[in-house]
């Protein structure tokens, strides 16, 4: 019991500190970037529901999960449903098409941040229409592989505009709200701004110009525990923070071999 109480206390403290850092970083942004307060997504993967309940009780609403089965288990948990009626689940892991139906069935699903192919977008569109009917729309982001690393998920830079166009033109049940990247870990800021963040901003500009989208209508999801302040200063509107709120990762969630994590996010470290 003492261990649980201490864990809950640490989550409350972690949330408070992270929120203060988000506010401070937001104030350092250029005036044109201060119109939108960054969305804080608490990455709760491998964490017990008690800590999610604690964070929710202290005002947190957006939670991110990497594993399909873990999202399904937590999203359908009766206590979470009962006590967290306003919860907003973000799926931030690599999503295979054969798992789409499980993801869209989750109560409180708010945003899928990792749409990286036309085929996945279409599968989500079809599944969401079957789940919710015509007219309802699921928020999504297009994941871009800004670092070009083979081990990272996301569409190639040259495919970004086509992916966004496909979602806008061919997926009426999806609402594209932004672009997301993981990027390379361990960038030394003494060497200058993170090139992955620069790259995603460039892609944002190119996509908006090519498709006639207002720059304010295409969010940027970039930044985790070790670099979220820098990401916010560079224009991120959505930061995914795990260990700075919940502490070090617990043992990997028990999933099947085909239920994979979005490569890289599992290395989120305390800053």
């Amino acid at each position: 019991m003492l261990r649980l109480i201490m864990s809950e206390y640490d989550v409350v403290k972690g949330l408070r500190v992270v929120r203060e850092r988000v506010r401070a970083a937001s104030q350092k942004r250029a005036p044109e970037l201060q119109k939108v307060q960054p969305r804080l997504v608490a990455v709760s993967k491998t964490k017990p529901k008690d800590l999610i309940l604690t964070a929710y009780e202290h005002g947190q609403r957006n939670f991110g999960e990497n594993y399909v089965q873990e999202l399904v288990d937590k999203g359908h948990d009766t206590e979470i449903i009962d006590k967290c009626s306003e919860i907003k689940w973000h799926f931030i892991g690599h999503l295979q098409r054969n798992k789409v139906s499980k993801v869209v069935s989750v109560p409180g699903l708010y945003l899928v941040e990792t749409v990286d192919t036309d085929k996945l977008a279409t599968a989500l569109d079809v599944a969401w229409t079957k789940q919710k009917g015509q007219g309802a729309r699921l928020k999504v982001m297009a994941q871009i592989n800004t670092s070009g690393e083979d081990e990272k998920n996301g569409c190639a830079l040259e495919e970004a505009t086509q992916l966004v166009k496909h979602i806008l033109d061919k997926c009426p049940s999806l609402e594209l709200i932004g672009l997301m990247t993981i990027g390379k870990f361990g960038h030394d800021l003494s060497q200058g701004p993170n090139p992955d963040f620069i790259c995603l901003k460039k892609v944002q500009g190119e996509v908006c110009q090519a498709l006639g989208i207002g720059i304010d209508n295409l969010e940027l999801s970039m930044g985790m525990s070790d670099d979220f302040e820098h990401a916010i200063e560079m224009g991120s509107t959505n930061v995914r923070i795990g260990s700075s709120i919940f502490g070090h990762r617990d043992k990997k969630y028990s999933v099947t071999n085909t239920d994979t994590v979005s490569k890289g996010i599992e290395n989120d470290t305390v800053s």
Side-chain angles (χ1 to χ4, degrees):
M1 179 62 70
L2 178 60
R3 181 176 179 271
L4 178 59
I5 292 174
M6 288 301 295
S7 295
E8 292 176 349
Y9 169 80
D10 290 341
V11 167
V12 175
K13 180 180 178 182
L15 264 177
R16 183 177 67 251
V17 170
V18 167
R19 286 169 177 163
E20 290 173 353
R21 291 171 63 186
V22 167
R23 282 193 293 269
S26 299
Q27 293 172 357
K28 295 179 181 179
R29 295 192 293 181
E32 65 272 15
L33 296 177
Q34 294 186 12
K35 291 179 288 186
V36 179
Q37 180 69 16
R39 182 187 301 108
L40 171 59
V41 181
V43 180
S44 48
K45 69 174 186 180
T46 77
K47 296 301 179 180
K49 72 176 180 180
D50 291 329
L51 300 188
I52 295 174
L53 294 172
T54 297
Y56 186 91
E57 289 169 2
H58 287 80
Q60 183 62 27
R61 291 295 180 266
N62 293 275
F63 292 84
E65 292 289 340
N66 292 74
Y67 303 111
V68 171
Q69 192 57 51
E70 186 172 9
L71 174 66
V72 170
D73 291 345
K74 290 176 178 177
H76 287 278
D77 184 273
T78 55
E79 187 174 10
I80 290 179
I81 291 174
D82 180 56
K83 295 182 177 180
C84 307
S85 60
E86 298 178 352
I87 198 166
K88 297 178 178 180
W89 291 112
H90 294 230
F91 187 72
I92 59 175
H94 178 57
L95 181 57
Q96 297 169 316
R97 279 181 286 159
N98 64 348
K99 299 294 181 69
V100 162
S101 60
K102 287 187 175 183
V103 170
V104 300
S105 74
V106 173
L109 180 66
Y110 177 74
L111 173 61
V112 175
E113 296 196 24
T114 50
V115 178
D116 57 359
T117 66
D118 292 359
K119 290 181 179 180
L120 176 58
T122 297
L124 275 168
D125 181 68
V126 172
W128 187 253
T129 302
K130 289 181 179 178
Q131 181 74 23
K132 299 293 185 178
Q134 296 287 346
R137 301 176 74 195
L138 171 65
K139 290 180 171 60
V140 299
M141 288 185 172
Q143 183 179 2
I144 314 299
N145 186 348
T146 53
S147 65
E149 298 172 273
D150 291 339
E151 65 271 21
K152 291 290 196 321
N153 292 304
C155 77
L157 298 177
E158 61 272 16
E159 298 171 353
T161 298
Q162 172 55 39
L163 174 58
V164 170
K165 188 177 190 313
H166 177 82
I167 295 171
L168 294 176
D169 294 348
K170 304 295 184 180
C171 302
S173 290
L174 302 185
E175 179 186 356
L176 181 85
I177 68 167
L179 308 176
M180 176 267 212
T181 192
I182 297 173
K184 187 178 294 186
F185 288 94
H187 174 69
D188 183 359
L189 289 179
S190 67
Q191 304 299 312
N194 189 314
D196 288 302
F197 298 166
I198 293 175
C199 182
L200 194 64
K201 284 177 65 67
K202 181 181 178 183
V203 172
Q204 178 194 40
E206 292 172 348
V207 168
C208 287
Q209 182 176 13
L211 302 179
I213 302 172
I215 199 79
D216 293 337
N217 295 322
L218 198 64
E219 295 190 29
L220 296 178
S221 176
M222 55 189 192
M224 293 181 283
S225 281
D226 61 345
D227 57 11
F228 70 90
E229 289 158 304
H230 175 57
I232 289 172
E233 290 181 38
M234 300 238 1
S236 179
T237 57
N238 189 88
V239 290
R240 312 175 303 271
I241 303 175
S243 52
S244 289
I245 296 173
F246 293 107
H248 290 291
R249 297 293 182 212
D250 296 332
K251 184 172 66 173
K252 185 176 179 180
Y253 193 78
S254 177
V255 292
T256 64
N257 291 333
T258 58
D259 190 12
T260 55
V261 64
S262 187
K263 301 161 189 165
I265 294 182
E266 73 274 16
N267 294 322
D268 186 18
T269 56
V270 176
S271 55

